Amino acid sequence: MDRYTEIRSFVLVAEKGSFAAAALVEGVTPVVMGRRLDGLEKRLGVRLMHRSTRGLTLTDLGEQFLEQCRHLIREFDDAETSVSAGRDIVRGHLVVSAPAAFGRRHVAPHAPAFKARYPELRLSFNLTDSVVDLVREGYDMGIRIGEVTDPNYVAVRLFANRRVVCGTPEYFARHGEPHTLEDLAHHNCLAFNLQGGQQRGWSFLRDGKLVAVRVDGDLDCNDGELLYSWVKQGFGIGWRSTWEIQAELKRGELVTVLDEFAAPTYDIQAVYPQQRYLPAKVRHFIEYLKGIYHTPGYWERG
């Protein structure tokens, strides 16, 4: 039995004048209330109440202890109320990690407006294509593109996304379109180099199974925006996220191929470490980004 429950029960019995009346408030039986008082008296080594057929009366020590207990309960309740109210106050320092290109285009630009809503908040961003350890490196949250499998993190989907193979109409007019995954071997595929993290190849879904296809081309780098630029210039084809190319697709500057093999595992997600109480600064920023990303036409602006 925790001390708070014992103390609260003692105060309630003293104020109501009987175990039955106090038990009705607590939603338990009178026997339970009696056991709580017995436990409190045994732990303290003193008698707080005299019990008789005529009712309950406080001992002298019980009278003194009652006032102290009332004061403790008031302080405890005030502390709980204060902390609970503070859960919705957005303040402090919010530290966010995000992929470089995505962060520059779709996270950091929205920070000033979010900051204007919450003047007591300070924001810091680290834009990198490396997967950082949020806890070890001191981040409140991160933005990830793709599946999050770490059980120590909570993932919240911000917007649906896929990775697709794309190129310019001019490139496909010169080289033809691939119709099978094996056809990629005959195309100039612009991919991240080994340091960029795509050494396992481009991922696709075929016959219900995830497969990786090793690709090759005469240009590679570890910067997503540069690859995106090369694809738009027609130097080859790329494996790009739909968030990145929607504007070009709408204008017809890029087209996608092999769509039937696109794997549905590349959503835009907010991640944060598992914790009992999510800070308001994290919760509100996630909801803020989600609202922006779901604005009709947002991804087609370019």
Side-chain angles (χ1 to χ4, degrees):
M1 181 69 63
D2 66 88
R3 293 184 179 185
Y4 176 79
T5 300
E6 288 181 344
I7 289 173
R8 187 177 185 280
S9 296
F10 163 64
V11 172
L12 202 55
V13 170
E15 291 177 343
K16 296 297 182 181
S18 73
F19 290 120
L24 193 61
V25 175
E26 285 283 87
V28 298
T29 65
V31 172
V32 170
M33 296 300 289
R35 287 174 181 168
R36 289 178 182 177
L37 182 59
D38 289 342
L40 179 61
E41 290 180 330
K42 183 177 181 180
R43 183 164 55 81
L44 296 176
V46 298
R47 181 166 293 279
L48 300 172
M49 285 185 177
H50 294 299
R51 302 166 176 81
S52 70
T53 55
R54 290 177 294 178
L56 302 172
T57 57
L58 289 167
T59 65
D60 290 341
L61 286 175
E63 289 279 5
Q64 297 173 27
F65 191 57
L66 177 62
E67 289 307 311
Q68 293 173 326
C69 288
R70 283 173 171 160
H71 179 70
L72 286 172
I73 289 174
R74 281 195 299 269
E75 286 194 337
F76 185 89
D77 290 343
D78 288 345
E80 273 199 336
T81 301
S82 175
V83 170
S84 180
R87 289 176 60 190
D88 286 324
I89 299 175
V90 180
R91 59 163 62 128
H93 189 190
L94 178 62
V95 187
V96 182
S97 170
F102 186 86
R104 280 192 291 268
R105 293 170 60 181
H106 298 293
V107 181
H110 304 304
F114 184 73
K115 175 72 175 64
R117 289 187 182 186
Y118 306 106
E120 296 182 65
L121 184 68
R122 175 188 171 196
L123 292 101
S124 294
F125 295 93
N126 178 27
L127 307 182
T128 175
D129 288 323
S130 299
V131 178
V132 301
D133 185 321
L134 299 181
V135 175
R136 183 174 299 176
E137 299 184 39
Y139 293 97
D140 295 297
M141 60 173 287
I143 305 297
R144 299 278 170 85
I145 310 295
E147 191 176 12
V148 178
T149 58
D150 192 328
N152 297 310
Y153 291 155
V154 176
V156 178
R157 190 173 83 158
L158 299 177
F159 199 77
N161 176 65
R162 294 187 304 161
R163 296 204 77 161
V164 294
V165 178
C166 62
T168 63
E170 293 77 16
Y171 173 88
F172 291 123
R174 293 194 306 271
H175 303 282
E177 294 186 5
H179 297 289
T180 69
L181 299 184
E182 288 71 24
D183 290 342
L184 289 173
H186 307 297
H187 285 268
N188 194 36
C189 299
L190 309 179
F192 277 99
N193 56 30
L194 295 183
Q195 291 75 29
Q198 283 184 19
Q199 60 267 39
R200 292 187 300 274
W202 294 356
S203 296
F204 300 94
L205 196 65
R206 178 162 59 184
D207 299 327
K209 297 180 179 179
L210 199 64
V211 297
V213 177
R214 294 297 297 268
V215 298
D216 193 23
D218 58 12
L219 287 171
D220 64 66
C221 71
N222 66 344
D223 182 80
E225 276 198 301
L226 182 54
L227 288 173
Y228 167 67
S229 175
W230 285 343
V231 171
K232 289 196 299 180
Q233 294 177 68
F235 296 146
I237 60 177
W239 187 51
R240 311 307 306 163
S241 279
T242 51
W243 69 260
E244 191 176 31
I245 62 174
Q246 285 299 324
E248 286 79 7
L249 292 178
K250 184 178 182 181
R251 294 193 297 263
E253 297 169 2
L254 290 176
V255 295
T256 62
V257 294
L258 302 173
D259 290 350
E260 64 271 30
F261 298 106
T265 56
Y266 287 92
D267 289 336
I268 301 161
Q269 304 197 76
V271 299
Y272 55 85
Q274 288 271 11
Q275 52 197 301
R276 186 173 181 183
Y277 298 113
L278 182 63
K281 60 185 179 181
V282 175
R283 185 173 71 254
H284 283 271
F285 193 55
I286 289 174
E287 292 304 315
Y288 181 72
L289 291 178
K290 189 184 294 186
I292 290 173
Y293 297 163
H294 282 82
T295 302
Y298 172 80
W299 299 101
E300 297 175 355
R301 301 168 192 166

